[in-house]
Structure formats: structure tokens, C-alpha cells
Amino acid sequence: MKIHEYQAKDLLATHGVPVPRGVAVTTAREAKRAANDLGGKVVVKAQIHAGGRGKGRLVAKQAQTAAMYAKLEASPATMEGAVKGSRVGGVRLVGSADRAQAEAKKILGNFLVTHQTGPAGKKVQRLLIEEQFAIADEYYAAVLIDGALGTPVMIVSREGGQAIEEVAARDPKAILRVPIDPSEGFPAYRGRQLAKQLKMPHATIFQAGALFAGLYRAFLASDASMAEINPFVVTADNRVLAVDAKVTIDDNAAFRQPVATLRDKSEEEPMEIMAEEAGIGSYIKLDGNIGCMVNGAGLAMATMDTIKLAGGEPANFLDIGTVNRVELVVEATHIINLDPNVKAILVNIFGGMARVDVVAEGLVAAIKKYRIKHPIIARLNGSNVEEGRRIIEASGLDFILADDLGEAARKAVKAARA
Ligand code: GDP
Ligand code: MN
């Protein structure tokens, strides 16, 4: 689960990481009031679940196509739909509360396109108004799980404020990786050693040590899979501050984290939320045009591979889970059908615990209830398959049946092209 920058900063502050004073707001008026309270000279920051906001592009309406995005990248100023007077994106430094209000007005309600949002961008519904500092130097720090070592690892660099992947590609030596023994944690003295290794100014060593130690504590306490501060800065007067923050909470730990206050469903894919609420194992929207309904994650992966092999593109990953309710199949079919890209639906069910007759009944009910017009290619096998076939035949509906997955995929690709 992703959370917003302002929430990540609250979390970090709780664990002793120094962060700028700031207030999250949803209107331009609130932005002005917050800026006034902070002394006028502030940073106005778009809160979306994506990075690269500083170099992002603001557009008045959703950029719908990749071509439009390419144009945006090339010349944001001339881009049709670009917000008037705003060449660049989601992080603005202003000198007064009135300017903060004006910038807030330009940003709120518009779409911010960054290298992480994809061409459609994300609608900005919230801003963080934060005190502004004169920055002398920007650094990078993050804690994440090293899968190979099986421990957390602290990653730091002097090359802060830019995409760390690019730094890693250009100059791998600029990045330090420090494995953390969970039984020892990451105490402040180790943080101070790290600050010295980074050749930070002498006057900042103690503050930086506290920042690293606090970052690790916040990572641990929030069950994060990643906690990143990019950048943390040294100000002109030698203060150390986390200027940006990103925390991703491991979904497996959601049950013991304050998800109700941290989760922002408006940032998530609406169809994925629908699937979650319907009790569907897992649904992930993709860009292709063949909707997939499959039971089991492994079978779903194999189905997607086979579609690609047949020259098609899956519209989604869907593991419907153990199918034992007709209603579950009805809702899953509905969700797949809601995707405007979908041209054909491939149903690949191998009934073990799942029963093919339940799936067949669900498909027939969904087609009637939601008036689904797309061709449905069904490859059904396993428990109660005869009864399932009988239900499909008796429905009088136009199913395209297939005996194996290869045949089903080829038929689905053909149907999606028709
Ligand atoms: P991101 O682009 O989404 O990663 O957003 P950040 O919060 O990292 O902001 C991008 C950049 O804005 C930072 O790397 C800084 O260079 C700059 N920035 C943010 N806050 C301040 C500030 O208080 N003062 C100054 N001078 N620059 C800031
Ligand atoms: Mn950043």
C-alpha cells in the first residue's frame, strides 16, 4: 500500500526524523492560510501516489494516449491542455501566501503527469504546504528489504534529488548499501559512521545519524517494504531535513497498520478496489484487450503468457480464487467487462476446489444481468465439467468453447481482432 508524502513525513517525524513544518490542504484558501501560518515563504507540493513530481507536467485534462504524452515531454509549454502559465509540475517554491494560493489554484483539480504516473497522469486533490529552506546539498537515503540477503538494507548516496535508478546506472559507486542485522537495528552511532562515509559536513554528523536511525525505526514500525527520503538535505545553515518522503507498506501487514487513516482509495485503480470488495482473489488491470478470468495465480500467469504467444495482449491479471459462489463469477465477469479496452473474454478454469458448474452458471447469469456483448471463449476442465458444459449449452448463448489453453488463446486473439 502506498501512502502520501505528508503521511510518510508524519510517520518519519514520529520516529525522530527531522522534517519541515507543513500542512496538508485540499483548497487554495486553505493553502493560503497554511502558508500564512508558516511565514509566507513556502513550498507547494502536489500529493499524488507517484514520484518525479518536481519534473512532472501539469495538464488540465487527462492525457489519454502515449502520443499525447510524448508531445508533453517534448514541449510542455505548447501542449494543448497544459495549464496556462505553468510549464512545470508539482513542486513550486513561492515567496508569499498569496502566491501559494495562486499556485494551489493552478494545481488542484488538474492532472500531474510524471515518469511514474503513465500518460494519463494523476489528478491532484491535495497539496502539502511546507516551510521553504535554502538548500546547500541534496542526499539520498532509503531502507528496503534485500531479497538476496534476506535482511533490510540501508541505501544512501550523495546524489540526492534525482531518480536513484539513473544514478545507479550512471555511477554505481555513488551508492552505498549497508545491510542491517535486524537484531542490532540501526542505532544512531552507525548513522553517524554512515554520515562520515558520505563526507557530510562536520556540523551535520549528529543530525544525519539521527535521521538514518529514525528512518530505520519508521521502516520497522510501519511494516514498510520500502521507506525512502529523496532528498534529505543540508540547508545553508547546516540543518538536516527530510524534504521528500515515500513509504510503501507491505500489504501482508495491513491488518496491524492504521490502514483506515493511511489508505487513499482515490489514488488506486477503481476496478481493483471493486474486485477487492467483491472478494475476488486478485485483479490487476493491464493495457491489452483480452479480459481473463482464471482460477489460481499460476494458471493466470500461464494464461497471460499463452495469450501473448498467440499474438494477443491480456487486459488484466485475474485470479478469481476458489470459486464456490455464483455471485463471485458474476461480479468478476462484470468487472472485466467494465474495462473499455476489453474486446473478448477468455475464461480458463481448471476445477479442483473450484467447480466448473458454478463458473458456468455465473457466466450465464453475468451475460444476462450485465448484457455482455463480447465473445466469451471458455476452456473449462475439472470438477463437474459435464454439468458445466450442460449449463452452457442449455443457455442458448454464444460461447466459444476450447479444449485446451493454446486453442482458447488463439480463438480469443482472433475474436478480439474481429
Ligand atoms: P519529487 O520530484 O516528486 O521527488 O518531489 P521532491 O519533494 O523530491 O521535490 C523535488 C525537488 O524540489 C527537490 O529535490 C528539491 O530540489 C526541491 N525542493 C523541495 N523542497 C524545497 C525547499 O524547501 N527549498 C528548495 N530550495 N528546494 C526544494
Ligand atoms: Mn523526491
Side-chain angles (χ1 to χ4, degrees), residues 22-262:
V23 185
V25 302
T26 55
T27 67
R29 260 163 162 256
E30 286 174 359
K32 180 177 179 174
R33 187 162 352 116
N36 247 328
D37 293 346
L38 294 166
K41 207 174 162 197
V42 295
V43 190
V44 178
K45 308 185 76 177
Q47 299 295 288
I48 56 169
H49 281 184
R53 297 161 301 166
K55 294 190 177 107
R57 307 276 182 254
L58 213 52
V59 290
K61 42 183 199 289
Q62 239 169 326
Q64 290 295 358
T65 66
M68 199 164 157
Y69 182 60
K71 257 198 228 166
L72 265 176
E73 288 277 79
S75 67
T78 60
M79 178 62 205
E80 190 198 346
V83 178
K84 228 180 161 188
S86 68
R87 286 192 62 242
V88 176
V91 179
R92 314 288 185 89
L93 277 61
V94 299
S96 71
D98 282 332
R99 290 303 313 157
Q101 183 176 19
E103 291 300 317
K105 226 178 211 161
K106 282 188 219 161
I107 302 172
L108 280 168
N110 289 309
F111 290 82
L112 186 58
V113 182
T114 80
H115 67 95
Q116 288 185 5
T117 62
K122 278 192 172 268
K123 191 171 184 176
V124 185
Q125 293 169 306
R126 203 177 265 105
L127 302 169
L128 174 60
I129 310 297
E130 218 173 49
E131 55 181 334
Q132 193 189 116
F133 290 92
I135 294 175
D137 236 326
E138 303 195 11
Y139 301 83
Y140 179 93
V143 178
L144 44 87
I145 300 289
D146 184 315
L149 290 174
T151 69
V153 57
M154 175 90 60
I155 296 174
V156 295
S157 174
R158 289 187 60 87
E159 309 278 318
Q162 36 187 321
I164 198 69
E165 299 83 1
E166 283 166 27
V167 177
R170 191 177 62 234
D171 183 9
K173 282 210 202 69
I175 296 172
L176 295 175
R177 294 174 67 93
V178 185
I180 300 174
D181 179 340
S183 65
E184 281 172 20
F186 202 80
Y189 81 88
R190 287 201 61 192
R192 294 194 290 273
Q193 288 172 347
L194 199 54
K196 283 178 193 161
Q197 267 178 280
L198 277 175
K199 299 193 167 52
M200 292 186 66
H202 191 71
T204 66
I205 300 293
F206 268 80
Q207 296 176 71
L211 179 137
F212 295 134
L215 171 60
Y216 180 69
R217 282 195 302 270
F219 169 87
L220 208 61
S222 63
D223 288 309
S225 51
M226 195 210 50
E228 180 186 71
I229 305 177
N230 186 23
F232 73 92
V233 302
V234 172
T235 65
D237 55 354
N238 274 340
R239 282 182 64 185
V240 174
L241 283 167
V243 156
D244 191 9
K246 178 180 171 184
V247 171
T248 306
I249 293 170
D250 188 332
D251 289 333
N252 294 303
F255 71 95
R256 62 181 193 186
Q257 289 296 328
V259 167
T261 50
L262 289 177

Side-chain angles (χ1 to χ4, degrees), residues 361-384:
E361 215 176 298
L363 287 172
V364 171
I367 292 169
K368 290 181 177 159
K369 182 172 175 188
Y370 293 109
R371 300 172 200 285
I372 293 172
K373 302 274 188 293
H374 299 305
I376 297 190
I377 300 87
R379 180 263 180 167
L380 306 169
N381 220 331
S383 307
N384 291 10

Side-chain angles (χ1 to χ4, degrees), residues 293 323 329 347 349 354-364 380:
M293 175 164 15
V323 191
V329 181
V347 180
I349 300 292
R355 279 165 39 201
V356 172
D357 57 327
V358 171
V359 175
E361 215 176 298
L363 287 172
V364 171
L380 306 169

